[in-house]
Amino acid sequence: MVVSVQQAREWIRAAQRVAALTGAGISAESGVPTFRGAGGLWRNWRPEDLATPQAFARDPKTVWEWYQWRRRLLAKVEPNPAHFALAQLERNTPGFWLITQNVDGLHDRAGSRKILKIHGDIWMVRCQVCGAEARDERLEFPEMPPRCRCGGLLRPGVVWFGEALPQDVWEAAEEAAAHCEVLLVVGASAVVYPAAGLIPLAKSAGAKVIEVNTEETPYSKQADLCLRGKAGELLPGLVE
Ligand code: OAD
Protein backbone atom coordinates (compact mmCIF):
# COMPACT_ATOMS: atom_id res chain seq x y z
CA MET A 1 0.00 0.00 0.00
CA VAL A 2 2.85 2.40 0.81
CA VAL A 3 4.31 1.81 -2.64
CA SER A 4 0.90 2.33 -4.28
CA VAL A 5 0.32 5.58 -2.41
CA GLN A 6 3.74 6.79 -3.50
CA GLN A 7 3.03 5.85 -7.10
CA ALA A 8 -0.33 7.62 -7.03
CA ARG A 9 1.24 10.70 -5.51
CA GLU A 10 3.88 10.78 -8.25
CA TRP A 11 1.32 10.49 -11.05
CA ILE A 12 -0.76 13.26 -9.49
CA ARG A 13 2.22 15.53 -8.93
CA ALA A 14 3.50 15.07 -12.48
CA ALA A 15 0.12 15.74 -14.11
CA GLN A 16 -1.00 19.11 -15.44
CA ARG A 17 -4.60 17.98 -15.72
CA VAL A 18 -6.31 15.98 -12.99
CA ALA A 19 -9.98 15.10 -12.56
CA ALA A 20 -11.64 13.59 -9.51
CA LEU A 21 -14.98 11.76 -9.54
CA THR A 22 -16.49 11.52 -6.08
CA GLY A 23 -19.42 9.58 -4.67
CA ALA A 24 -21.16 9.17 -1.34
CA GLY A 25 -18.20 7.27 0.17
CA ILE A 26 -16.16 10.47 0.41
CA SER A 27 -18.72 11.91 2.84
CA ALA A 28 -19.12 8.71 4.88
CA GLU A 29 -16.46 9.73 7.41
CA SER A 30 -18.31 13.01 7.93
CA GLY A 31 -21.27 10.94 9.12
CA VAL A 32 -23.37 11.11 5.95
CA PRO A 33 -25.02 7.78 5.05
CA THR A 34 -24.09 6.31 1.67
CA PHE A 35 -26.76 4.82 -0.63
CA ARG A 36 -25.60 1.22 -0.95
CA GLY A 37 -23.87 -1.14 1.45
CA ALA A 38 -24.26 -1.40 5.23
CA GLY A 39 -26.29 1.51 6.63
CA GLY A 40 -27.00 2.76 3.09
CA LEU A 41 -30.13 4.84 2.44
CA TRP A 42 -31.38 2.37 -0.20
CA ARG A 43 -31.41 -0.36 2.45
CA ASN A 44 -34.19 1.47 4.30
CA TRP A 45 -36.02 3.25 1.49
CA ARG A 46 -36.87 2.48 -2.12
CA PRO A 47 -35.55 5.00 -4.66
CA GLU A 48 -38.79 4.70 -6.65
CA ASP A 49 -40.73 6.03 -3.61
CA LEU A 50 -38.48 9.05 -3.01
CA ALA A 51 -36.13 9.85 -5.85
CA THR A 52 -38.15 9.80 -9.06
CA PRO A 53 -40.35 12.42 -10.76
CA GLN A 54 -43.27 9.99 -10.44
CA ALA A 55 -42.83 9.73 -6.65
CA PHE A 56 -42.81 13.53 -6.40
CA ALA A 57 -45.92 13.86 -8.57
CA ARG A 58 -47.71 11.29 -6.40
CA ASP A 59 -46.65 12.51 -2.97
CA PRO A 60 -44.56 15.70 -2.89
CA LYS A 61 -44.93 16.09 0.87
CA THR A 62 -43.37 12.70 1.67
CA VAL A 63 -40.54 13.30 -0.81
CA TRP A 64 -39.85 16.75 0.69
CA GLU A 65 -39.93 15.34 4.23
CA TRP A 66 -37.21 12.88 3.27
CA TYR A 67 -35.07 15.63 1.69
CA GLN A 68 -35.60 17.89 4.71
CA TRP A 69 -34.50 15.04 6.98
CA ARG A 70 -31.32 14.70 4.88
CA ARG A 71 -30.76 18.49 4.86
CA ARG A 72 -31.07 18.64 8.67
CA LEU A 73 -28.58 15.81 8.98
CA LEU A 74 -26.16 17.58 6.60
CA ALA A 75 -26.46 20.85 8.50
CA LYS A 76 -24.91 19.09 11.51
CA VAL A 77 -21.85 17.55 9.82
CA GLU A 78 -18.52 18.90 8.63
CA PRO A 79 -16.28 18.18 5.63
CA ASN A 80 -13.57 15.61 6.40
CA PRO A 81 -9.87 15.41 5.44
CA ALA A 82 -10.75 13.86 2.05
CA HIS A 83 -12.84 16.90 1.04
CA PHE A 84 -10.08 19.24 2.21
CA ALA A 85 -7.43 17.24 0.32
CA LEU A 86 -9.35 17.68 -2.97
CA ALA A 87 -9.68 21.43 -2.33
CA GLN A 88 -5.90 21.52 -1.82
CA LEU A 89 -5.36 19.51 -5.01
CA GLU A 90 -7.39 22.08 -6.95
CA ARG A 91 -5.07 24.81 -5.69
CA ASN A 92 -1.94 22.78 -6.57
CA THR A 93 -2.92 21.62 -10.06
CA PRO A 94 -3.03 23.86 -13.16
CA GLY A 95 -6.02 22.00 -14.66
CA PHE A 96 -8.30 20.45 -12.08
CA TRP A 97 -11.95 19.40 -12.24
CA LEU A 98 -14.00 17.97 -9.43
CA ILE A 99 -16.92 15.93 -10.71
CA THR A 100 -19.24 14.91 -7.92
CA GLN A 101 -22.34 12.75 -7.70
CA ASN A 102 -22.88 14.14 -4.21
CA VAL A 103 -25.55 16.71 -3.53
CA ASP A 104 -24.44 17.35 0.07
CA GLY A 105 -22.45 20.59 -0.40
CA LEU A 106 -19.46 19.33 1.60
CA HIS A 107 -17.00 19.96 -1.25
CA ASP A 108 -18.07 23.63 -1.37
CA ARG A 109 -17.68 23.90 2.39
CA ALA A 110 -14.15 22.42 2.20
CA GLY A 111 -13.10 25.15 -0.24
CA SER A 112 -13.37 23.43 -3.65
CA ARG A 113 -14.43 25.93 -6.30
CA LYS A 114 -14.56 24.21 -9.70
CA ILE A 115 -17.25 21.65 -8.89
CA LEU A 116 -19.30 19.87 -11.53
CA LYS A 117 -22.36 18.71 -9.60
CA ILE A 118 -23.72 16.16 -12.02
CA HIS A 119 -26.58 15.09 -9.70
CA GLY A 120 -27.45 18.62 -8.57
CA ASP A 121 -27.37 20.19 -5.13
CA ILE A 122 -29.68 19.41 -2.20
CA TRP A 123 -29.46 23.07 -1.08
CA MET A 124 -31.04 24.30 -4.34
CA VAL A 125 -34.76 24.41 -5.11
CA ARG A 126 -36.53 24.79 -8.44
CA CYS A 127 -40.10 25.85 -9.21
CA GLN A 128 -42.02 23.31 -11.24
CA VAL A 129 -44.15 26.05 -12.80
CA CYS A 130 -41.96 29.10 -13.52
CA GLY A 131 -38.64 27.22 -13.48
CA ALA A 132 -36.97 29.72 -11.09
CA GLU A 133 -33.97 28.23 -9.32
CA ALA A 134 -32.58 29.44 -6.01
CA ARG A 135 -30.35 28.46 -3.16
CA ASP A 136 -32.61 27.81 -0.20
CA GLU A 137 -31.11 26.46 3.01
CA ARG A 138 -34.23 26.62 5.16
CA LEU A 139 -34.57 23.55 7.37
CA GLU A 140 -38.23 24.35 8.05
CA PHE A 141 -40.65 25.63 5.42
CA PRO A 142 -43.79 27.55 6.36
CA GLU A 143 -45.79 25.00 4.39
CA MET A 144 -45.09 21.49 3.17
CA PRO A 145 -44.55 20.95 0.34
CA PRO A 146 -42.97 24.41 -0.11
CA ARG A 147 -44.20 26.77 -2.81
CA CYS A 148 -42.61 29.37 -5.05
CA ARG A 149 -43.63 33.04 -4.98
CA CYS A 150 -45.54 32.31 -8.21
CA GLY A 151 -47.58 29.69 -6.35
CA GLY A 152 -45.97 26.72 -8.13
CA LEU A 153 -44.62 23.69 -6.30
CA LEU A 154 -40.92 23.83 -5.42
CA ARG A 155 -38.81 20.70 -5.85
CA PRO A 156 -35.34 19.81 -4.59
CA GLY A 157 -32.60 20.83 -7.05
CA VAL A 158 -31.31 17.31 -7.49
CA VAL A 159 -31.39 14.80 -10.33
CA TRP A 160 -33.80 11.93 -9.81
CA PHE A 161 -33.74 8.48 -11.36
CA GLY A 162 -35.11 8.61 -14.87
CA GLU A 163 -34.15 12.27 -15.36
CA ALA A 164 -31.46 13.68 -17.62
CA LEU A 165 -28.38 15.20 -16.03
CA PRO A 166 -27.94 18.98 -16.44
CA GLN A 167 -26.57 19.12 -19.99
CA ASP A 168 -23.89 21.80 -19.62
CA VAL A 169 -22.54 20.25 -16.41
CA TRP A 170 -22.50 16.78 -17.94
CA GLU A 171 -20.72 17.97 -21.09
CA ALA A 172 -18.07 19.67 -18.93
CA ALA A 173 -17.64 16.43 -16.95
CA GLU A 174 -17.18 14.40 -20.14
CA GLU A 175 -14.68 16.95 -21.39
CA ALA A 176 -12.75 16.78 -18.10
CA ALA A 177 -12.69 12.97 -18.14
CA ALA A 178 -11.59 12.88 -21.77
CA HIS A 179 -8.72 15.33 -21.24
CA CYS A 180 -7.29 14.54 -17.82
CA GLU A 181 -4.01 12.72 -17.34
CA VAL A 182 -5.13 11.26 -14.02
CA LEU A 183 -8.67 10.41 -12.89
CA LEU A 184 -9.14 9.85 -9.16
CA VAL A 185 -12.34 7.92 -8.39
CA VAL A 186 -13.20 8.34 -4.71
CA GLY A 187 -15.97 6.63 -2.75
CA ALA A 188 -18.12 5.88 -5.79
CA SER A 189 -19.77 2.47 -6.26
CA ALA A 190 -19.61 3.03 -10.03
CA VAL A 191 -22.95 1.34 -10.70
CA VAL A 192 -25.03 4.43 -11.53
CA TYR A 193 -24.93 5.68 -15.13
CA PRO A 194 -24.07 7.84 -16.91
CA ALA A 195 -21.65 8.91 -14.13
CA ALA A 196 -19.84 5.54 -14.06
CA GLY A 197 -19.21 5.84 -17.80
CA LEU A 198 -16.71 8.62 -17.11
CA ILE A 199 -14.25 5.99 -15.86
CA PRO A 200 -13.91 4.03 -19.14
CA LEU A 201 -14.04 7.36 -21.02
CA ALA A 202 -10.97 8.65 -19.15
CA LYS A 203 -9.23 5.29 -19.42
CA SER A 204 -9.74 5.01 -23.17
CA ALA A 205 -8.43 8.57 -23.60
CA GLY A 206 -5.19 7.49 -21.93
CA ALA A 207 -5.64 8.69 -18.33
CA LYS A 208 -4.27 6.82 -15.34
CA VAL A 209 -7.24 5.81 -13.20
CA ILE A 210 -6.73 5.68 -9.44
CA GLU A 211 -9.55 4.22 -7.37
CA VAL A 212 -9.87 5.08 -3.68
CA ASN A 213 -12.53 2.91 -2.06
CA THR A 214 -12.95 0.70 0.99
CA GLU A 215 -14.25 -2.03 -1.34
CA GLU A 216 -13.88 -3.40 -4.85
CA THR A 217 -16.12 -1.90 -7.56
CA PRO A 218 -17.08 -3.06 -11.08
CA TYR A 219 -14.29 -0.79 -12.39
CA SER A 220 -11.51 -1.90 -10.05
CA LYS A 221 -10.03 -4.18 -12.69
CA GLN A 222 -9.77 -1.30 -15.17
CA ALA A 223 -8.05 0.97 -12.65
CA ASP A 224 -4.31 1.45 -12.91
CA LEU A 225 -4.11 1.59 -9.14
CA CYS A 226 -6.59 0.66 -6.40
CA LEU A 227 -6.08 2.13 -2.97
CA ARG A 228 -8.20 0.18 -0.49
CA GLY A 229 -9.16 2.15 2.57
CA LYS A 230 -10.97 5.20 3.81
CA ALA A 231 -10.85 8.32 1.69
CA GLY A 232 -10.26 10.55 4.72
CA GLU A 233 -7.18 8.55 5.63
CA LEU A 234 -5.76 8.07 2.12
CA LEU A 235 -6.40 11.32 0.25
CA PRO A 236 -4.35 13.70 2.41
CA GLY A 237 -1.30 11.49 1.69
CA LEU A 238 -1.89 11.76 -2.07
CA VAL A 239 -1.77 15.55 -2.25
CA GLU A 240 1.05 16.31 0.19
P1 OAD B 1 -22.94 4.42 -3.13
O1 OAD B 1 -23.60 4.43 -1.81
O2 OAD B 1 -23.53 3.62 -4.21
O3 OAD B 1 -21.43 3.93 -2.97
C1 OAD B 1 -20.58 4.41 -1.98
C2 OAD B 1 -19.20 3.84 -2.26
O4 OAD B 1 -18.29 4.39 -1.30
C3 OAD B 1 -19.09 2.32 -2.12
O5 OAD B 1 -18.36 1.80 -3.22
C4 OAD B 1 -18.32 2.12 -0.81
O6 OAD B 1 -17.51 0.95 -0.83
C5 OAD B 1 -17.48 3.37 -0.76
N1 OAD B 1 -17.10 3.86 0.58
C6 OAD B 1 -17.83 3.83 1.72
N2 OAD B 1 -17.18 4.44 2.72
C7 OAD B 1 -15.99 4.88 2.21
C8 OAD B 1 -14.88 5.61 2.73
N3 OAD B 1 -14.84 6.01 4.00
N4 OAD B 1 -13.85 5.88 1.89
C9 OAD B 1 -13.87 5.46 0.60
N5 OAD B 1 -14.89 4.77 0.05
C10 OAD B 1 -15.93 4.49 0.85
O7 OAD B 1 -22.78 5.97 -3.55
P2 OAD B 1 -22.57 6.60 -4.99
O8 OAD B 1 -21.60 5.83 -5.80
O9 OAD B 1 -22.31 8.04 -4.78
O10 OAD B 1 -27.95 9.09 -7.18
O11 OAD B 1 -24.02 6.43 -5.61
C11 OAD B 1 -24.28 6.94 -6.88
C12 OAD B 1 -25.65 7.51 -6.96
O12 OAD B 1 -26.62 6.56 -6.52
C13 OAD B 1 -25.91 8.70 -6.05
O13 OAD B 1 -25.46 9.91 -6.59
C14 OAD B 1 -27.40 8.69 -5.91
C15 OAD B 1 -27.58 7.22 -5.65
O14 OAD B 1 -28.81 6.69 -5.85
C16 OAD B 1 -29.15 9.64 -7.26
O15 OAD B 1 -29.85 9.86 -6.27
C17 OAD B 1 -29.59 10.00 -8.65
Side-chain angles (χ1 to χ4, degrees), residues 35-146:
F35 292 94
R36 296 168 187 82
L41 295 173
W42 298 148
R43 289 275 174 99
N44 293 317
W45 288 279
R46 296 180 340 138
E48 52 273 43
D49 291 339
L50 297 163
T52 64
Q54 293 80 5
F56 190 69
R58 223 169 24 237
D59 189 352
K61 186 161 180 271
T62 297
V63 170
W64 257 118
E65 275 163 359
W66 189 67
Y67 278 91
Q68 284 297 72
W69 168 74
R70 288 177 60 196
R71 281 157 58 115
R72 280 184 211 114
L73 191 152
L74 289 171
K76 290 192 207 122
V77 306
E78 298 294 334
N80 69 56
H83 299 104
F84 288 114
L86 291 183
Q88 183 63 45
L89 192 56
E90 177 176 336
R91 292 190 285 270
N92 295 352
T93 316
F96 182 80
W97 297 268
L98 175 54
I99 307 163
T100 189
Q101 299 171 86
N102 299 346
V103 297
D104 58 27
L106 291 177
H107 285 304
D108 311 63
R109 287 169 57 195
S112 286
R113 289 293 165 259
K114 280 197 276 175
I115 314 175
L116 299 169
K117 296 178 187 174
I118 57 177
H119 289 172
D121 185 329
I122 200 167
W123 300 105
M124 297 290 291
V125 298
R126 186 164 75 243
C127 176
Q128 290 218 304
V129 174
C130 72
E133 267 189 298
R135 199 165 179 82
D136 186 336
E137 298 184 356
R138 283 178 293 174
L139 299 178
E140 299 288 346
F141 290 113
E143 62 173 326
M144 280 288 263

Side-chain angles (χ1 to χ4, degrees), residues 9-32:
R9 190 161 48 211
E10 275 164 33
W11 284 343
I12 291 168
R13 196 183 295 154
Q16 299 289 310
R17 297 181 307 278
V18 175
L21 170 64
T22 66
I26 196 171
S27 297
E29 289 154 81
S30 293
V32 182

Side-chain angles (χ1 to χ4, degrees), residues 23-25 28-29 34-36 42 101-102 119 159-161 187-190 192 212-215 217 229-231:
E29 289 154 81
T34 59
F35 292 94
R36 296 168 187 82
W42 298 148
Q101 299 171 86
N102 299 346
H119 289 172
V159 175
W160 283 322
F161 287 99
S189 59
V192 175
V212 178
N213 200 306
T214 45
E215 286 168 31
T217 76
K230 293 184 175 178

